[in-house]
Amino acid sequence: MSVISAKNVVKSFGKLDVLKDVSMEIEEGEVVALIGPSGSGKSTFLRSLINLETIDNGTIAIDGQTVVEKGVYKKSEENRGAYQKLGMVFQNFNLFPHKSVLENIILSPMLVNGKSRETAVKEAEELLAQVGLSDKIDAYPYQLSGGQQQRVAIARALAMNPKVMLFDEPTSALDPELTGEILKVIRDLAAKDMTMVIVTHEIEFAKNVADRVIFMAGGYIVEEGCAEEIIDNPQNERTQAFLKGFKR
């Protein structure tokens, strides 16, 4: 059974059609990279999965639970548990600036999952060690580099024990020299069989880490398949034109 199933998803902003009949299945343990030009609908699709955007039509199921069917959403209390199985990492970190690294990570596990502070702190310490930031536990976001802030954001998402991690261009706000540290964390998660959907412009990274690459353009899925196959030998002319802009 797919851990995420999206069928015939349609989304418009006013007169702008952003998603046009997009269907996608994500299997447990799979790493899927969404690539394509800006404005192709990749980020909107990702945000629709976690209900940061509502779709106009289509069906989405998370871990077997349908949250929206043919554009009609289930009651919010019915969907809450399903959405909690998804963790989201944004382009711009979205950390609480007035809270320390530790407080950023333990807030949701305590408020949403009802964990004790002691348990939440212990798990936060383990996650910070995992992303290489044990020494920053008492720091505030303004004291961290962009790469460090993004690693804290990843730890914060993991603290909710999600079944699937969604990454929306996690390196796009970073200087090139800081990109590598984020990609390493994602590689480490892939090695642990974490299910991930990653919107990225890091084509070589997608080739090396993703099991499957999906190329989107103009609100459609144009081409998809094995990562190496799609990136090294794309069949669709639109995919070929896009990938010509990247040195491989």
Side-chain angles (χ1 to χ4, degrees):
M1 184 178 66
S2 301
V3 70
I4 290 178
S5 175
K7 295 177 182 175
N8 311 116
V9 172
V10 174
K11 172 66 179 177
S12 300
F13 294 106
K15 294 183 179 179
L16 179 64
D17 298 327
V18 180
L19 296 174
K20 307 169 185 175
D21 198 32
V22 173
S23 296
M24 193 180 302
E25 303 285 327
I26 310 293
E27 302 299 324
E28 189 165 356
E30 189 178 27
V31 179
V32 176
L34 304 184
I35 65 171
S38 297
S40 59
K42 307 181 303 295
S43 293
T44 299
F45 178 76
L46 211 63
R47 292 170 65 86
S48 297
L49 293 180
I50 203 166
N51 202 33
L52 292 174
E53 300 287 357
T54 54
I55 63 174
D56 301 319
N57 207 347
T59 298
I60 295 174
I62 300 167
D63 201 24
Q65 181 179 337
T66 299
V67 293
V68 52
E69 187 168 12
K70 295 182 179 177
V72 179
Y73 280 80
K74 309 293 183 184
K75 293 179 181 178
S76 58
E77 57 268 24
E78 294 177 26
N79 286 346
R80 194 173 296 119
Y83 290 129
Q84 285 176 8
K85 293 180 180 181
L86 307 180
M88 181 88 170
V89 176
F90 301 88
Q91 297 179 37
N92 295 312
F93 328 134
N94 287 11
L95 299 177
F96 296 114
H98 59 291
K99 292 187 180 295
S100 69
V101 166
L102 176 64
E103 294 295 334
N104 263 281
I105 295 173
I106 68 174
L107 186 64
S108 289
M110 290 171 61
L111 289 179
V112 179
N113 290 350
K115 290 185 177 179
S116 69
R117 183 179 180 88
E118 182 182 10
T119 299
V121 168
K122 183 176 182 295
E123 292 178 356
E125 290 172 342
E126 291 169 355
L127 288 167
L128 285 171
Q130 184 178 329
V131 300
L133 289 175
S134 293
D135 59 332
K136 301 296 184 183
I137 192 166
D138 294 319
Y140 284 79
Y142 75 89
Q143 297 173 308
L144 305 176
S145 70
Q148 289 170 333
Q149 289 187 61
Q150 190 63 296
R151 281 187 278 161
V152 172
I154 293 171
R156 181 179 62 179
L158 289 171
M160 294 298 288
N161 298 313
K163 195 159 189 176
V164 182
M165 285 285 282
L166 309 176
F167 292 88
D168 186 11
E169 298 194 31
T171 61
S172 66
L174 302 177
D175 293 332
E177 64 266 25
L178 298 176
T179 295
E181 61 190 67
I182 302 307
L183 299 184
K184 180 186 182 303
V185 172
I186 297 174
R187 279 192 188 94
D188 290 345
L189 290 174
K192 295 177 179 178
D193 295 324
M194 169 64 77
T195 309
M196 293 185 281
V197 185
I198 308 166
V199 172
T200 184
H201 287 292
E202 300 287 340
I203 300 301
E204 196 65 23
F205 170 74
K207 174 183 168 182
N208 293 333
V209 175
D211 300 301
R212 183 158 49 107
V213 164
I214 296 174
F215 174 71
M216 294 182 66
Y220 293 102
I221 291 176
V222 175
E223 188 170 1
E224 65 178 299
C226 166
E228 196 167 318
E229 214 170 273
I230 294 295
I231 291 170
D232 285 346
N233 189 31
Q235 300 301 301
N236 186 279
E237 288 183 6
R238 184 69 184 85
T239 317
Q240 292 169 359
F242 174 77
L243 289 170
K244 268 185 184 175
F246 295 89
K247 293 179 181 178
R248 307 195 299 280

